[in-house]
């Protein structure tokens, strides 16, 4: 069954907090098998945003802080990096690096609509990594986030493209394609918010033990998998086994990087 437009709105609008609360304990284990990926993606984010130790930074939808922790350990920021996520169980995995990381229980919408007070008048850099598809109104939310940027501030949306080559079962791929926002549309939203916008892509080859990957599918490591019942997941895993009988799955992990930069001459509401 392909998800239609009405179903897409319902699925995007569902509260994913419970999903990530359940996933939190095993979330890092999903990617601990591939520390090379975490290091690679962290480096890509830091490079795209031209991060410096003086920047006031926020990771919006940070999950367990996999990338924020890696970036903070390398960058050693002089201001505490904001780790924003609506799931307290995810933030509980951040650890005790209180000198570099500041957890905030909030959604992207909460931050954009000023429902949560931030410790900084403005931000120099922020990113949303694979979380924009959870936003109910991307245009409004991205505009609100853009307004938090200091002059010269940067906002990066790192997201999967509209089609992927993951070794998932066919219905999961079809449902993913029905739900995933178009990066070009996200770029339009940032441009409409007054940011100078570019759209590029980065790619990393993933090699995962097949049984490890199937355990990740069973744990519903991608949010689209939360839309399937246990029986559907098991049937999907059988389909994956049939299509990928080897001991390892190898596939490209390709990401769209939508970068918006605020003009250095613009003064925002939060600037004093």
């Amino acid at each position: 069954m392909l998800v239609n437009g009405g179903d897409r709105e319902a699925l995007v609008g569902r509260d994913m907090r419970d999903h990530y609360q359940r996933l939190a304990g095993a979330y890092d284990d999903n990617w601990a098998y591939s520390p090379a990926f975490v290091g690679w993606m962290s480096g890509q984010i830091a490079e795209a945003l031209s991060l410096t130790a003086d920047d006031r930074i926020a990771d919006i939808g940070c999950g367990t802080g996999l990338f924020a922790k890696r970036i903070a350990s390398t960058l050693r920021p002089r201001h505490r990096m904001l780790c924003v996520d609506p799931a307290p169980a995810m933030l509980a995995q951040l650890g005790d690096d209180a000198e570099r990381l500041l957890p905030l229980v909030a959604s992207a919408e909460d931050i954009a609509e000023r429902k949560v007070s931030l410790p900084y008048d403005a931000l120099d850099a922020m990113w949303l990594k694979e979380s924009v598809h959870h936003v109910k109104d991307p245009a409004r939310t991205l505009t609100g986030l853009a307004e938090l940027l200091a002059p010269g501030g940067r906002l990066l949306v790192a997201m999967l493209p509209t089609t992927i080559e993951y070794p998932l079962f066919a219905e999961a791929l079809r449902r993913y394609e029905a739900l995933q926002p178009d990066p070009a549309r996200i770029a339009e939203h940032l441009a409409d918010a007054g940011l100078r916008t570019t759209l590029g892509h980065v790619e990393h080859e993933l090699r995962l033990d097949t049984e490890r990957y199937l355990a990740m599918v069973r744990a519903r490591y991608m949010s689209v998998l939360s839309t399937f019942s246990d029986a559907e997941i098991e049937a999907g895993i059988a389909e994956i086994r049939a299509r990928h009988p080897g001991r390892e799955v190898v596939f490209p992990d390709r990401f769209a990087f939508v970068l918006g930069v605020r003009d250095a001459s613009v003064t925002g509401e939060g600037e004093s």
Side-chain angles (χ1 to χ4, degrees):
M1 178 193 70
L2 185 65
V3 180
N4 62 35
D7 289 335
R8 180 189 187 283
E9 183 178 352
L11 287 171
V12 171
R14 72 166 59 192
D15 186 0
M16 297 300 295
R17 184 175 309 186
D18 289 345
H19 167 68
Y20 285 108
Q21 285 281 98
R22 291 190 299 271
L23 189 61
Y27 189 82
D28 282 6
D29 290 340
N30 288 337
W31 290 114
Y33 187 87
S34 183
F37 172 82
V38 176
W40 171 80
M41 176 56 74
S42 299
Q44 292 292 324
I45 291 171
E47 181 179 353
L49 285 167
S50 301
L51 295 180
T52 73
D54 289 324
D55 286 333
R56 296 158 295 178
I57 303 169
D59 179 354
I60 309 294
C62 71
T64 62
L66 271 176
F67 307 105
K69 286 186 285 189
R70 179 65 67 91
I71 290 171
S73 68
T74 302
L75 189 68
R76 298 186 178 277
R78 294 185 178 88
H79 307 282
R80 295 173 74 189
M81 186 181 297
L82 307 184
C83 295
V84 181
D85 199 274
M90 282 288 192
L91 292 175
Q93 306 296 315
L94 278 175
D96 58 358
D97 192 354
E99 292 184 4
R100 297 177 184 169
L101 304 175
L102 176 62
L104 291 176
V105 179
S107 66
E109 291 93 339
D110 292 337
I111 300 299
E113 296 169 16
R114 316 299 202 275
K115 293 181 179 179
V116 175
S117 297
L118 301 182
Y120 310 123
D121 290 336
L123 294 168
D124 301 297
M126 71 177 83
W127 72 84
L128 295 83
K129 195 258 179 202
E130 288 189 88
S131 60
V132 75
H133 57 285
H134 294 314
V135 175
K136 296 179 183 179
D137 187 345
R140 178 179 177 181
T141 298
L142 290 173
T143 295
L145 293 177
E147 290 172 350
L148 291 169
L149 292 175
R154 294 87 66 201
L155 192 165
L156 174 68
V157 178
M159 60 189 297
L160 294 174
T162 53
T163 60
I164 54 177
E165 299 179 46
Y166 286 16
L168 293 170
F169 50 99
E171 181 56 33
L173 290 171
R174 284 194 292 268
R175 195 169 295 185
Y176 165 85
E177 291 177 7
L179 295 172
Q180 183 68 2
D182 187 340
R185 186 62 176 149
I186 298 301
E188 291 177 4
H189 294 328
L190 292 185
D192 290 342
L195 304 183
R196 288 185 285 108
T197 306
T198 58
L199 170 58
H201 292 84
V202 297
E203 184 173 311
H204 180 81
E205 182 182 77
L206 281 178
R207 290 179 173 269
L208 299 173
D209 177 86
T210 299
E211 293 305 315
R212 179 70 175 184
Y213 181 73
L214 294 177
M216 290 166 59
V217 172
R218 187 173 283 113
R220 295 171 171 84
Y221 81 105
M222 292 181 69
S223 58
V224 69
L225 295 173
S226 71
T227 67
F228 292 93
S229 68
D230 289 346
E232 289 170 328
I233 288 290
E234 292 305 319
I237 286 175
E239 181 182 323
I240 295 171
R241 285 189 192 278
R243 292 186 178 182
H244 303 275
R247 297 178 61 182
E248 189 177 55
V249 290
V250 182
F251 55 99
D253 210 3
R254 191 165 188 258
F255 293 87
F257 268 29
V258 188
L259 178 66
V261 180
R262 194 174 190 194
D263 191 275
S265 65
V266 176
T267 301
E269 295 177 4
E271 295 296 293
S272 58

